[in-house]
């Protein structure tokens, strides 16, 4: 999961604010939505498990809606580099409180998680980062993709 998130950070860190906010004519998500969604899901899933073990840790849901017409970016002026730092902060949070999962095997269902096992969640997060990053990279070839200049 961490390796996949790190690879995603490298891709997004190179994008300008204009590229992050690029709205493809084909109706697919903006690069910024993809970042907000990836980190939002990870933050929610891990904060739910950690909250179950320590209720002083709040459940944090920053996951954006599925691009309704009135959707507003959380940080529309951030460059890809700042969004990548946000993904890193979520990854750091997940690692920082991982001690709360001591005693659980990757084959266990962890209280507070909807996932059947911790391994299933970790595998899904790995796929999730890779999938949404690949979806974003496809946008680089679309008509209207903003140049860096």
């Amino acid at each position: 999961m961490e390796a996949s998130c790190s690879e995603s950070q490298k891709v997004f860190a190179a994008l300008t604010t204009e590229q992050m906010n690029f709205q493809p004519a084909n109706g697919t998500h903006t690069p910024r939505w993809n970042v907000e969604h990836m980190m939002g899901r990870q933050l929610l899933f891990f904060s739910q498990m950690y909250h179950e073990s320590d209720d002083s840790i709040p459940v944090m849901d920053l996951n954006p809606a599925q691009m309704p017409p009135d959707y507003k970016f959380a940080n529309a002026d951030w460059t890809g580099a700042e969004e990548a730092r946000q993904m890193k902060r979520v990854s750091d949070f997940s690692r920082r409180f991982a001690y709360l999962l001591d005693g659980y095997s990757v084959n266990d269902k962890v209280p507070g998680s909807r996932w059947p096992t911790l391994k299933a969640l970790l595998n899904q997060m790995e796929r999730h980062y890779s999938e949404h990053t690949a979806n974003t990279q496809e946008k680089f070839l679309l008509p209207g993709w903003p140049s860096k200049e």
Side-chain angles (χ1 to χ4, degrees), residues 1-12 38 42 87-88 91-92 94-95 122-123 125-131 133:
M1 176 183 76
E2 287 181 351
S4 187
C5 180
S6 180
E7 289 302 312
S8 292
Q9 290 170 44
K10 290 175 190 172
V11 170
F12 286 95
M38 291 185 299
Q42 181 178 351
M87 285 194 293
K88 174 77 168 88
S91 192
D92 289 347
S94 298
R95 180 173 280 284
L122 294 171
N123 286 338
M125 291 308 306
E126 179 182 5
R127 283 188 305 272
H128 196 239
Y129 275 105
S130 295
E131 176 185 309
T133 300

Side-chain angles (χ1 to χ4, degrees), residues 8 43 66 69-70 115 143:
S8 292
L43 185 61
Q66 285 288 329
D70 60 345
W115 295 91

Side-chain angles (χ1 to χ4, degrees), residues 7 24 28 30 34 43 50 61 63 66 71 81 92-93 118 128-129 135 142 146:
E7 289 302 312
T28 58
T30 64
N34 281 276
L43 185 61
Y50 298 158
D61 186 358
N63 190 50
Q66 285 288 329
Y71 173 71
D92 289 347
F93 165 81
L118 182 56
H128 196 239
Y129 275 105
N135 289 346
L142 292 176

Side-chain angles (χ1 to χ4, degrees), residues 30-43:
T30 64
R32 187 172 311 281
W33 182 92
N34 281 276
V35 169
E36 289 182 12
H37 173 68
M38 291 185 299
M39 76 86 195
R41 298 309 284 170
Q42 181 178 351
L43 185 61

Side-chain angles (χ1 to χ4, degrees), residues 44-129:
L44 175 63
F45 294 148
F46 281 83
S47 69
Q48 287 171 327
M49 292 185 298
Y50 298 158
H51 177 78
E52 185 72 24
S53 181
D54 179 348
D55 64 8
S56 71
I57 299 171
V59 172
M60 295 173 269
D61 186 358
L62 300 181
N63 190 50
Q66 285 288 329
M67 292 291 286
D70 60 345
Y71 173 71
K72 302 281 189 256
F73 299 128
N75 299 288
D77 59 335
W78 281 9
T79 64
E82 188 56 40
E83 291 287 5
R85 284 189 287 276
Q86 182 77 335
M87 285 194 293
K88 174 77 168 88
R89 287 188 283 271
V90 169
S91 192
D92 289 347
F93 165 81
S94 298
R95 180 173 280 284
R96 177 180 179 200
F97 293 101
Y99 72 89
L100 294 170
L101 304 179
D102 282 354
Y104 294 101
S105 133
V106 292
N107 297 313
D108 290 337
K109 179 169 179 52
V110 176
S113 176
R114 69 177 182 95
W115 295 91
T117 66
L118 182 56
K119 183 177 182 176
L121 169 59
L122 294 171
N123 286 338
Q124 173 56 30
M125 291 308 306
E126 179 182 5
R127 283 188 305 272
H128 196 239
Y129 275 105

